[in-house]
Amino acid sequence: MSAEHHTHSDVVPASDLLVFTDAAATKVGELIRGEGNPALMLRVFVQGGGCSGLSYGFEFDETLQDGDTLVENLGVKLLVDPMSFQYLGGAEIDYREGLEGSQFVIRNPNATTTCGCGSSFAA
């Protein structure tokens, strides 16, 4: 475990907001290198619907929008829009490889209902 270094910039310490794990950041970094566009960032968003009333989505984006929350880990940037952030604050974005395949997973302590249809983003 290395100590976290916080610089004085507009990037808010991830621990206060969202946890973007090293495993997830590493995988996103690989995907971005595969796209050949180093300007890409991973946007995480919440949309209505799904069995618990909310589902999560992931997409690459080059643009930091007004009001976005930016979380950075291992040089990889994760974006969350203000509407989604109210649902995702305090959540953990992780990546895991298992028997069902590889997927990004969101562990959200704010989600009051959970079900078996976890949201994933195939890599």
Side-chain angles (χ1 to χ4, degrees):
M1 280 297 206
S2 62
E4 284 187 54
H5 300 288
H6 294 300
T7 55
H8 296 288
S9 72
D10 293 338
V11 180
V12 185
S15 55
D16 296 351
L17 302 169
L18 276 166
V19 178
F20 185 29
T21 67
D22 289 353
T26 299
K27 187 60 188 181
V28 173
E30 288 172 13
L31 294 172
I32 288 172
R33 279 191 295 282
E35 295 287 321
N37 181 353
L40 290 175
M41 297 172 276
L42 183 69
R43 180 174 292 283
V44 182
F45 54 92
V46 173
Q47 43 199 7
C51 52
S52 60
L54 291 175
S55 61
Y56 304 107
F58 299 87
E59 66 187 10
F60 283 126
D61 196 341
E62 291 182 68
T63 314
L64 181 66
Q65 303 287 346
D66 211 26
D68 277 349
T69 296
L70 171 65
V71 178
E72 187 167 353
N73 187 11
L74 303 176
V76 178
K77 295 183 176 78
L78 181 78
L79 302 174
V80 185
D81 66 85
M83 193 284 291
S84 297
F85 185 74
Q86 44 187 335
Y87 298 103
L88 287 169
E92 179 179 277
I93 288 135
D94 196 11
Y95 177 76
R96 71 168 177 237
E97 297 184 17
L99 297 173
E100 332 71 65
S102 308
Q103 62 183 14
F104 287 96
V105 289
I106 295 181
R107 282 188 278 282
N108 190 344
N110 304 317
T112 48
T113 57
T114 54
C115 65
C117 71
S119 166
S120 65
F121 165 82

